[in-house]
Amino acid sequence: QVQLVESGGGLVQAGGSLRLSCAASGRTFRRYAMGWFRQAPGKEREFVAAISWSGGDTSYTDSVKGRFTISRDNAKNTVYLQMNSLKPEDTAVFYCAATYTIQIPTTTHEYDYWGQGTQVTVSS
């Protein structure tokens, strides 16, 4: 079992930055691929970024490439999402997810564990 707790969300003006953190329980964190997803009101949950268990491979949805960076610290059992140049359309609840694989999954059904989410609101 893996438990995930997100933090770092908040209200920020357009063009600003936030760093989300996701703290994971369990001694096998380093064996899990990690992902960030987001869900805006009235929309489906969508993929944002993912990182391999080693941290050596990453994947991003096109709309955040060049603005967001996913990273992980396996010694701290934590994955991060650095978000720069935020836009109002980034407003959503952001979720952290984990799955035991060497791949870098980009769809919700490939992930087994989810956090409770953290709200990110970007004002114009």
Side-chain angles (χ1 to χ4, degrees):
Q1 285 283 354
V2 176
Q3 293 185 330
L4 305 172
V5 179
E6 303 98 333
S7 61
L11 173 64
V12 64
Q13 289 188 332
S17 298
L18 284 174
R19 188 176 81 155
L20 305 183
S21 298
C22 174
S25 65
R27 295 175 292 177
T28 59
F29 171 76
R30 65 183 183 276
R31 300 179 184 175
Y32 285 78
M34 302 296 295
W36 286 99
F37 291 76
R38 64 186 178 187
Q39 188 167 18
K43 295 187 177 181
E44 293 187 352
R45 193 170 299 188
E46 66 172 0
F47 170 73
V48 176
I51 189 167
S52 63
W53 67 271
S54 67
D57 294 300
T58 58
S59 179
Y60 298 91
T61 192
D62 286 346
S63 63
V64 307
K65 285 180 180 177
R67 300 191 297 124
F68 291 11
T69 302
I70 188 171
S71 61
R72 66 190 295 162
D73 185 338
N74 287 342
K76 296 183 178 180
N77 281 16
T78 302
V79 63
Y80 305 98
L81 186 67
Q82 178 66 44
M83 305 186 295
N84 299 328
S85 301
L86 282 160
K87 304 176 182 179
E89 51 264 43
D90 294 317
T91 295
V93 177
F94 280 70
Y95 296 90
C96 173
T99 188
Y100 188 84
T101 180
I102 62 172
Q103 307 296 327
I104 315 175
T106 61
T107 60
T108 56
H109 74 269
E110 295 177 280
Y111 284 86
D112 300 310
Y113 303 100
W114 292 85
Q116 83 290 348
T118 185
Q119 177 71 47
V120 171
T121 303
V122 185
S123 63
S124 57

